[in-house]
Amino acid sequence: MIRVRGVIPDSIGAELGIRTGFELLSVDGRELEDFLDWEYLTAEDAFVVRARTADGELVEYDIERPEGEPMGVQLEPPHVRRCGNRCDFCFVDGLPSGLRDTLYVRDDDYRLSFRYGNFATLTNLKARDVRRILEYRLSPLYVSVHATDPVIRRRLLRNPRAPAIIPQLSELAAGGITFHTQIVLQPAVNDGDHLRQSLRDLYGLGAPVLSVSVVPVGLTEFSKHYRVREPNAEECRAAVEAVQEHQKRALAERGRRWVYGSDDLYYVAGIALPTAEEYDGFEQVENGVGSVRYLQQRVGEARSDLRVLTGMRVAVLTGTAMSRLMPEVAGTVADATGGTFDVVAIENGLFGPSVTSAGLLPGRAILGALERCRGYDLALVPAEAVNDDGIFLDDVSLEEVRTRSPIPVRPSYDFADALHAEDHS
Ligand code: SF4
């Protein structure tokens, strides 16, 4: 059963009389469990929906709809699948207490992997889930592999029951499923020869493995430092070497580099970032792989659309990771707009200085920085630090930041979104 959260006016659902609070029970006799069932089973032009109204009355809708017209029925979100692992580097363990409850949920859900690109380990898949993935063609999936050796992977995940990942991926791949994968690097556990072996094993699965990212483990002040540490420069350099070696092979054999180090990996290693072309389309940019080059590319492409800011001073607020790399990007934007862009690095007051990502900056730290920003005409704040409801991780709202800031504030992912020429507000 899935509950209706809303119905778009004038849609097919509204015309049928489906209302908020109705329970959708089945489509063509097949019971509904979540949004996947609904989307897949109502993809046909004709089908029968059984539902229960808010008064408990059972109704049946015999639906024929014009091709491509959406039903207009919005569903309540599914219960998120909980994670059965206990990784030492889990970000949830690294959270301070007192944040909103939803942040402490360890999700490991293949449905969210398919829909939103969340990485899942697949360790909690049941036979029925595998059938659904294959039937609904949930592809590509984003999979946290970490290590292909089952013993090492179980140790990393702290889950003695974690199934071997290569047979799992092989079975899904045989059914036409593809994957973007990641290896979170934990020094002295899955680096060195283990990393090379993991890359060989994943490469050996052929075309279904679309990409691999190699990301150094990231910890906060609250993480289990007695059990896990971040890789040092030498360890990151060794990982970059392994990535580059494998890239050569993949490029020669498949025309793509296939494996990519995250920006952090290069930064800690002290090695210059690859060029934009070397990311082959930025398939894992959301995972911090190629973010800087992507940003530069976006700004370059949007050059002619950026509004003229001649004489204006703009403060660009960001995390300490991006601030090291941002001056290069800010220079490109300054050339394109005629404005002056100063990068303001903000230390993470919630998780500690080791957390350097702009997306994890709390609202209070941003407000504190804004209050110190004098002589600016505009401030850009990282849009990725705000959720869909306009709230930062520490429950401060963007609205509050805007109200209390001494200068106008715009959330921005990539400059181009905040400095578009048509937007003169
Ligand atoms: S897989 Fe590991 S890192 Fe991810 S939620 Fe579970 S315990 Fe945390």
Side-chain angles (χ1 to χ4, degrees):
M1 180 277 287
I2 324 168
R3 202 178 300 277
V4 176
R5 192 175 63 177
V7 182
I8 295 170
D10 301 326
S11 64
I12 298 176
E15 279 169 24
L16 287 168
I18 297 176
R19 299 282 177 266
T20 301
F22 276 28
E23 292 171 358
L24 303 170
L25 305 175
S26 66
V27 172
D28 289 338
R30 284 185 62 175
E31 278 184 30
L32 300 174
E33 179 186 314
D34 57 25
F35 68 92
L36 289 175
D37 291 327
W38 176 252
E39 288 174 14
Y40 183 84
L41 298 171
T42 61
E44 302 296 324
D45 296 339
F47 48 89
V48 176
V49 174
R50 284 187 76 237
R52 189 181 290 120
T53 68
D55 301 332
E57 189 189 337
L58 287 174
V59 282
E60 203 164 272
Y61 302 102
D62 206 339
I63 298 166
E64 270 186 49
R65 67 163 173 190
E67 202 184 320
E69 196 172 324
M71 286 293 293
V73 175
Q74 295 156 336
L75 309 174
E76 284 194 350
H79 290 295
V80 170
R81 284 284 181 91
R82 300 300 168 107
C83 175
N85 311 310
R86 279 293 174 272
C87 310
D88 292 335
F89 53 80
C90 183
F91 190 73
V92 173
D93 292 328
L95 294 174
S97 55
L99 302 178
R100 59 178 176 276
D101 290 350
T102 48
L103 293 173
Y104 298 99
V105 174
R106 294 172 210 258
D107 68 80
D108 195 11
D109 196 323
Y110 67 95
R111 300 168 304 176
L112 306 185
S113 171
F114 167 67
R115 176 51 50 86
Y116 303 113
N118 295 7
F119 277 93
T121 64
L122 310 185
T123 51
N124 55 2
L125 283 195
K126 311 249 182 319
R128 174 177 147 66
D129 300 323
V130 173
R131 282 199 300 276
R132 291 184 95 207
I133 292 171
L134 295 172
E135 181 184 359
Y136 295 171
R137 289 277 172 149
L138 305 184
S139 180
L141 291 177
Y142 289 76
V143 182
S144 285
V145 170
H146 304 329
T148 53
D149 179 317
V151 176
I152 293 171
R153 188 164 191 257
R154 283 177 198 135
R155 177 177 163 198
L156 282 157
L157 299 175
R158 296 248 172 224
N159 182 354
R161 290 194 302 276
I165 189 71
I166 290 295
Q168 232 182 346
L169 295 180
S170 303
E171 181 187 358
L172 293 170
I177 307 301
T178 58
F179 316 96
H180 290 290
T181 62
Q182 73 164 350
I183 293 174
V184 172
L185 213 61
Q186 194 171 319
V189 182
N190 61 341
D191 56 354
D193 287 345
H194 296 305
L195 172 62
R196 287 189 160 79
Q197 185 61 50
S198 294
L199 294 178
R200 279 195 297 273
D201 291 342
L202 288 171
Y203 192 73
L205 290 177
V209 178
L210 303 172
S211 70
V212 186
S213 59
V214 179
V215 182
V217 71
L219 305 174
T220 80
E221 232 170 51
F222 308 93
S223 300
K224 298 174 176 168
H225 291 274
Y226 54 93
R227 278 194 165 161
V228 55
R229 65 174 175 85
E230 293 178 345
N232 59 30
E234 201 181 316
E235 289 159 342
C236 286
R237 271 197 295 277
V240 170
E241 266 170 36
V243 166
Q244 290 172 336
E245 268 170 42
H246 208 96
Q247 283 182 331
K248 272 191 208 138
R249 178 180 172 192
L251 191 60
E253 292 175 1
R254 297 187 186 168
R256 297 172 56 77
R257 285 160 191 81
W258 181 76
V259 55
Y260 310 91
S262 71
D263 291 10
D264 268 357
L265 189 74
Y266 285 89
Y267 177 73
V268 179
I271 296 174
L273 291 170
T275 61
E277 296 71 48
E278 289 171 288
Y279 289 101
D280 297 319
F282 297 105
E283 286 179 308
Q284 291 211 31
V285 70
E286 306 266 327
N287 201 20
V289 179
S291 315
V292 171
R293 296 301 184 216
Y294 181 72
L295 199 56
Q296 287 178 312
Q297 184 171 294
R298 283 273 299 147
V299 170
E301 286 164 1
R303 256 181 118 88
S304 56
D305 284 341
L306 296 183
R307 67 188 176 136
V308 176
L309 296 172
T310 309
M312 279 181 77
R313 284 192 71 201
V314 181
V316 182
L317 277 58
T318 186
T320 47
M322 211 50 162
S323 73
R324 297 180 288 244
L325 306 155
M326 194 63 106
E328 235 181 292
V329 184
T332 316
V333 190
D335 290 347
T337 62
T340 304
F341 289 79
D342 290 337
V343 177
V344 178
I346 306 178
E347 216 168 73
N348 198 312
L350 188 63
F351 300 119
S354 65
V355 174
T356 56
S357 158
L360 297 173
L361 282 174
R364 275 185 202 87
I366 288 180
L367 249 177
L370 283 168
E371 279 158 7
R372 292 189 296 277
C373 278
R374 299 290 163 198
Y376 289 98
D377 303 297
L378 177 67
L380 303 184
V381 301
E384 59 273 32
V386 182
N387 72 9
D388 291 346
D389 300 322
I391 309 288
F392 290 93
L393 273 170
D394 56 354
D395 279 345
V396 171
S397 70
L398 178 61
E399 217 31 64
E400 182 184 343
V401 168
R402 279 191 155 135
T403 311
R404 292 179 48 191
S405 167
I407 46 174
V409 169
R410 283 170 181 242
S412 171
Y413 285 105
D414 60 7
F415 293 94
D417 52 1
L419 301 177
H420 200 265
E422 285 162 18
D423 183 359
H424 296 291
S425 61

